[in-house]
Amino acid sequence: MTATSPRFGIWAVVHGSRGAYQDPDEPYDASWERNRDLVLAAEELGYDSTLIAQHTINPHIEDFDQLEAWSAAAAVAALTSRIEIIAAIKPYLYHPVVLAKLALGIENISRGRFAINLVNAWNRPELEKAGIGFAEHDERYAYGREWISVVSRLIEGERLTYKGKHFDVRDYVLRPTSLYRPRPTIYVGGESEPARALVADHGDVWFINGQPLSDVAGLIADVAARPRSGAPPLRFGLSAFVVARETSEHAHAEHERLLALAARDAPMKAIQRQNTDPKVVMMQTMQKTPRVGTNGGTAAGLVGSYDEVAARIRDFYNAGIELFMLQFQPFEAEMRRFALEVIPRVRQAQATRLLEPATGS
């Protein structure tokens, strides 16, 4: 683990609310203006990272607004000074040469704060309606593996000639490369066997969807044990939806309120299930327990008093999670609450532990 304490990030609200769409405390708003203000506020509050998910059309209701990830990432890069900016990418939507050039551009706009989050697509209409086609699950990962092998070498500054099943790149070089480090960071999402093999071979950080600590520890153990071909040790991130209050009772009451609101979105969720590849492990995991939020949401168990949530975060950190990519609702108010009440508790506990004398002979 490279970080001496946990890092905290926020999901950008690229398609509005993360937990429930019919919440009177958070009207639907996926605008650029809201996302800009949210990320600027997160940076001011001390958050370390933001993840901008990529969808060309809204994955829930196609008539709802959807922020475009890469143009937004470039704009956020110019407006911020410290926060890491992670833009998700679905390989079929961009040729790797074009995407590598975009990534290097945002890397230099941000002065070395940019990262790619490679995801291999689950929303069938997004690709099918564009005439791209929606390949079978393992074939999408095979395509993604070839795609990221081209992107990673180009963003490292290599003059590349590459011939594969999907790409034929000849004597291609991109300039300038990163002016601040060897290349942007590569995050990889997905929990299937092809995803695990892909992140072990090509990723810097593996994003794990929210789920109980024992399950997360097992995933980390599996992937951390895989050979890395000379690359630094893999790091790990976790997605989670947070409901934190002064007392556990208040937190669980709010969780129940959000669960009831989310239940109203059942017709929308049925559309999403119909459009989703059933082999996607994220969707299988999310069916195991009631939860609020996307990408596992409250299944990670970050629901409780400020002290309880801080303790659970420390447990995940001790299991190997370095970055916590968080969701809230209403987002702005709860993001601030977490920054003021939970992060200091985590930091203080970590500082106390580091100051404790070593034991043993």
Side-chain angles (χ1 to χ4, degrees):
M1 182 174 297
T2 58
T4 57
S5 63
R7 296 191 299 134
F8 299 101
I10 63 157
W11 285 75
V13 287
V14 297
H15 47 67
S17 305
R18 280 285 167 183
Y21 276 78
Q22 300 181 57
D23 187 349
D25 293 335
E26 186 172 73
Y28 189 91
D29 185 356
S31 66
W32 153 246
E33 289 80 8
R34 184 189 181 194
N35 279 275
R36 173 199 63 200
D37 294 347
L38 182 71
V39 174
L40 288 172
E43 182 174 64
E44 183 176 355
L45 286 167
Y47 285 89
D48 303 288
S49 186
T50 185
L51 173 57
I52 307 175
Q54 187 205 28
H55 304 282
T56 55
I57 57 176
N58 190 287
H60 307 298
I61 300 292
E62 63 181 359
D63 288 336
F64 282 12
D65 290 350
Q66 175 67 50
L67 189 73
E68 198 288 306
W70 282 67
S71 56
V76 166
L79 294 173
T80 54
S81 60
R82 184 189 57 79
I83 198 167
E84 180 188 36
I85 301 157
I86 309 171
I89 182 65
K90 297 167 185 172
Y92 282 96
L93 295 174
Y94 286 86
H95 190 282
V97 167
V98 177
L99 191 283
K101 184 63 175 176
L102 287 170
L104 286 171
I106 303 174
E107 165 77 354
N108 289 327
I109 292 169
S110 70
R111 296 178 177 265
R113 294 180 288 118
F114 186 62
I116 298 167
N117 178 31
L118 177 64
V119 293
N120 282 282
W122 52 264
N123 188 28
R124 190 183 307 273
E126 187 171 33
L127 298 180
E128 286 187 340
K129 288 186 176 183
I132 297 169
F134 193 77
E136 188 273 333
H137 178 274
D138 288 5
E139 175 56 28
R140 294 199 306 277
Y141 274 93
Y143 184 96
R145 172 178 287 273
E146 189 172 319
W147 185 94
I148 195 61
S149 69
V150 173
V151 169
S152 62
R153 292 162 70 180
L154 286 172
I155 63 177
E156 288 172 356
E158 180 179 340
R159 180 177 294 275
L160 180 63
T161 295
Y162 176 92
K163 177 69 173 178
K165 178 180 178 181
H166 302 286
F167 304 110
D168 184 3
V169 179
R170 306 172 191 176
D171 194 32
Y172 221 103
V173 64
L174 299 177
R175 295 291 184 269
T177 55
S178 174
L179 304 177
Y180 302 94
R181 52 184 174 165
R183 61 162 172 78
T185 305
I186 297 174
Y187 290 75
V188 178
E191 294 165 19
S192 65
E193 176 54 36
R196 299 182 197 196
L198 177 59
V199 71
D201 290 342
H202 291 286
D204 300 310
V205 186
W206 187 29
F207 261 140
I208 300 171
N209 292 304
Q211 48 202 290
L213 176 62
S214 59
D215 294 345
V216 171
L219 292 170
I220 290 173
D222 175 84
V223 176
R226 302 187 183 214
R228 293 275 290 162
S229 302
L234 191 65
R235 293 174 285 139
F236 301 92
L238 181 74
S239 176
F241 190 108
V242 177
V243 185
R245 292 292 187 275
E246 186 70 36
T247 68
S248 180
E249 292 77 12
H250 288 153
H252 285 281
E254 175 61 13
H255 187 215
E256 290 299 321
R257 185 187 78 88
L258 290 171
L259 281 169
L261 285 171
R264 299 181 187 178
D265 297 331
M268 180 179 70
K269 293 175 182 176
I271 294 172
Q272 181 182 356
R273 284 195 297 272
Q274 182 180 352
N275 291 337
T276 299
D277 180 354
K279 292 184 179 180
V280 172
V281 173
M282 175 182 72
M283 299 303 180
Q284 299 170 11
T285 300
M286 286 165 53
Q287 301 307 312
K288 293 180 180 179
T289 55
R291 45 118 191 116
V292 173
T294 67
N295 297 82
T298 51
L302 301 189
V303 177
S305 70
Y306 302 141
D307 289 333
E308 288 171 339
V309 171
R312 287 169 192 155
I313 287 169
R314 292 195 299 272
D315 289 341
F316 276 112
Y317 175 75
N318 290 334
I321 295 297
E322 176 194 294
L323 174 62
F324 294 82
M325 193 59 65
L326 304 176
Q327 304 173 9
F328 306 94
Q329 189 161 342
F331 212 108
E332 289 83 351
E334 294 304 313
M335 173 183 77
R336 179 172 294 275
R337 182 197 299 271
F338 183 88
L340 297 178
E341 298 290 353
V342 179
I343 292 179
R345 285 169 163 82
V346 175
R347 300 280 190 240
Q348 180 59 45
Q350 187 67 15
T352 300
R353 188 185 70 82
L354 291 173
L355 289 172
E356 290 176 350
T359 60
S361 57

